[in-house]
Amino acid sequence: MVDGKPLHEAKGEVKYAASFLEWFSEEAKRINGEVLPNIEPHLRRFVLKQPVGVCGMITPWNFPLAMITRKVAPALAAGCTTVIKPSEETPLSALAFAQLVDEVQVPQGVVNVITCSRNNAELAGLLLCTSPLVRNISFTGSTKVGKWLLEKSASTVKKVSLELGGNAPFIVFDSADVKLAADKAVKSRFRNAGQTCICAERILVQENVYESFIDEFKKITMALRVRDPMSSECDMSSLINEQALAKVEDHVNDALLNGGKIVCGGKKLSSNGSLFYEPTIIRDCTTNMKCIAEETFGPVAPVIKFKTEEEALLLANSRNSGLSGYIFTNNMSQSWRVAERLEVGMVGVNESVITNEMVPFGGIKESGLGREGSSHGIEEYIELKLVCIGALENK
Ligand SMILES: NC(=O)c1ccc[n+]([C@@H]2O[C@H](COP(=O)([O-])OP(=O)(O)OC[C@H]3O[C@@H](n4cnc5c(N)ncnc54)[C@H](O)[C@@H]3O)[C@@H](O)[C@H]2O)c1
Ligand SMILES: O=CCCC(=O)O
């Protein structure tokens, strides 16, 4: 038995990664400048869109290819060059990408990859942030490291894009289709063994559907096949490393000490390999628990009961993070009201699989700065320049 992402999810990620290259190669044709209205006869004003320059890119292990192409593709489309520092956990995906870049004859020096150990990551980050040659830092990873990079980039006043941690609320209202909500909760929470930044991290359920939702959620969760990632029958596999496993165990133990009750799972799967943890649901959770207050980033779904819409919004918006949020309701007014009031960058209504290359991906509050993907993703790599032409003769 090996550890790793399920093979079918990894293949899906390769397609996802390629979709950014295709999308931004098309967007490159639409980087239009502007001609401003002519209000003074002797003057003309234009806005040029120019590449920012060299871009430093630091990426995580959970989507080791797609998080690279979501940055590199718009940067190249805008005319920038790139230096990529991939995660020490997954350098080979970055090197495979570099090999493909060579094969398609991207000019030497346009896409560069530097690998290093975790011990040297800080030094690599510091060099990228403080070098006056680098004009943009684009980071995807934890909020703690993102804040550090933002601070270091201040010395050279760089453009900084940050895609940081989330703690997504997944809200099930009384009017929801409970079976649909449970199915989407499983798809979101246990994707990549819970190691996805937009995973449902906190499941908030209104009191009248609390028991029926938990029954459905348990049924679908228990049917997940936790197997060897190379098997075509694998729905969920392992965590990334020992620290990730220790964090999951700590969050589960803390929830149980504070009154949470295990619905299913709750243990390391020793027979399956060292980094496997059972898909776990914990009910009767409260806001003082670590699994609610922090991003667990593992296969643990804490469920909280709420009474009113106002209470759900207070709970959902109580964290400093604001990446994604999900609402399950059949009340159209409620879906608009809550979508507008959720403090996040992305909302799914009766849906939890919300991303592709066409959508603006990103968070608010401490979940980040800027957007990736979509027609907006290219803006991080472009500078606007005003050109004003004077002394024109009007005959
Ligand atoms: N918002 C998003 O788009 C998004 C996407 C994926 C992951 N994430 C977040 O990423 C986190 C998981 O990824 P991770 O564990 O790889 O995050 P991490 O912050 O530990 O590491 C991310 C990258 O930063 C590097 N790094 C670590 N310390 C550094 C330093 N001091 N200077 C420069 N580089 C440094 C690492 O080597 C790695 O390449 C989660 O919090 C998750 O929510 C966010
Ligand atoms: O973990 C972050 C990426 C997830 C996604 O793009 O759907």
Side-chain angles (χ1 to χ4, degrees):
M1 180 82 73
V2 289
D3 293 314
K5 181 181 271 195
L7 184 60
H8 69 89
E9 280 194 40
K11 286 183 173 168
E13 190 199 335
V14 172
K15 283 197 185 141
Y16 188 37
S19 74
F20 292 111
L21 293 163
E22 185 179 22
W23 173 265
F24 283 109
S25 65
E26 289 295 325
E27 283 299 298
K29 301 174 197 164
R30 291 185 270 271
I31 307 176
N32 300 320
E34 293 166 21
V35 181
L36 301 185
N38 170 20
I39 54 170
E40 288 148 295
H42 63 291
L43 290 178
R44 295 291 183 275
R45 294 182 177 88
F46 304 88
V47 179
L48 305 187
K49 291 192 174 175
Q50 297 188 312
V52 288
V54 181
C55 303
M57 303 175 162
I58 303 175
T59 54
W61 48 264
N62 65 339
F63 289 84
L65 191 59
M67 297 303 100
I68 290 179
T69 58
R70 198 155 73 182
K71 299 180 189 308
V72 171
L76 294 188
C80 300
T81 55
T82 61
V83 182
I84 306 158
K85 207 292 293 160
S87 169
E88 57 286 344
E89 298 282 2
T90 52
L92 298 182
S93 300
L95 294 176
F97 175 65
Q99 189 173 348
L100 291 174
V101 163
D102 262 357
E103 277 174 28
V104 298
Q105 295 175 5
V106 172
Q108 288 281 312
V110 170
V111 176
N112 305 280
V113 178
I114 314 168
T115 59
C116 67
S117 68
R118 184 71 177 203
N119 286 344
N120 284 326
E122 185 169 324
L123 180 59
L126 196 62
L127 284 172
L128 289 170
C129 292
T130 54
S131 166
L133 298 175
V134 176
R135 292 310 317 146
N136 166 297
I137 290 289
S138 180
F139 172 73
T140 298
S142 61
T143 305
K144 182 168 164 245
V145 173
K147 286 182 181 177
W148 186 84
L149 294 167
L150 183 61
E151 200 183 302
K152 298 298 160 201
S153 298
S155 65
T156 45
V157 193
K158 292 195 200 322
K159 251 185 137 135
V160 180
S161 324
L162 300 173
E163 296 290 346
L164 309 177
N167 191 346
F170 184 104
I171 310 174
V172 185
F173 287 104
D174 281 344
S175 72
D177 175 335
V178 168
K179 284 192 175 165
L180 174 78
D183 178 54
K184 297 290 180 180
V186 169
K187 289 198 166 75
S188 173
R189 174 64 286 192
F190 301 113
R191 177 183 176 200
N192 201 16
Q195 302 167 108
T196 305
C197 54
I198 56 168
C199 270
E201 284 272 343
R202 298 173 286 154
I203 319 277
L204 318 179
V205 186
Q206 201 158 9
E207 55 186 355
N208 288 341
V209 290
Y210 189 72
E211 296 300 336
S212 56
F213 174 82
I214 287 180
D215 288 347
E216 280 300 322
F217 192 26
K218 176 180 178 186
K219 202 160 74 190
I220 309 171
T221 300
M222 288 192 67
L224 287 175
R225 296 163 304 175
V226 183
R227 303 262 164 92
D228 184 323
M230 301 305 278
S231 156
S232 59
E233 297 189 336
C234 168
D235 298 318
M236 198 192 96
S237 54
S238 70
L239 289 152
I240 183 71
N241 55 28
E242 289 290 348
Q243 294 100 290
L245 186 65
K247 186 176 186 188
V248 166
E249 289 182 313
D250 178 43
H251 280 200
V252 172
N253 292 338
D254 173 78
L256 298 186
L257 278 176
N258 284 291
K261 296 180 195 70
I262 297 280
V263 175
C264 60
K267 297 190 302 295
K268 189 176 156 177
L269 266 173
S270 50
S271 58
N272 272 347
S274 59
L275 301 173
F276 282 69
Y277 197 89
E278 290 176 335
T280 297
I281 301 175
I282 309 176
R283 59 175 289 162
D284 304 342
C285 290
T286 47
T287 49
N288 57 332
M289 295 175 181
K290 288 184 187 175
C291 60
I292 297 293
E294 299 167 26
E295 187 189 33
T296 303
F297 225 54
V300 178
V303 189
I304 300 192
K305 191 194 284 187
F306 69 87
K307 284 192 166 71
T308 63
E309 181 181 303
E310 206 53 36
E311 187 190 349
L313 276 162
L314 271 175
L315 283 167
N317 292 337
S318 63
R319 313 310 318 150
N320 289 337
S321 55
L323 190 58
S324 62
Y326 308 94
I327 310 162
F328 284 75
T329 174
N330 277 326
N331 175 335
M332 201 194 298
S333 309
Q334 181 174 54
S335 65
W336 273 110
R337 246 186 348 256
V338 179
E340 284 173 1
R341 289 185 62 195
L342 271 184
E343 294 169 4
V344 296
M346 297 170 278
V347 178
V349 179
N350 296 328
E351 184 52 87
S352 64
V353 183
I354 58 173
T355 57
N356 63 23
E357 75 282 16
M358 297 184 290
V359 306
F361 189 103
I364 63 169
K365 294 163 69 174
E366 293 190 7
S367 286
L369 293 174
R371 292 293 179 271
E372 293 192 326
S374 79
S375 52
H376 302 283
I378 212 154
E379 286 157 22
E380 310 295 322
Y381 303 98
I382 283 174
E383 293 286 12
L384 301 184
K385 182 185 280 176
L386 167 71
V387 177
C388 178
I389 303 179
L392 298 175
E393 280 180 30
N394 278 287
K395 292 198 174 159

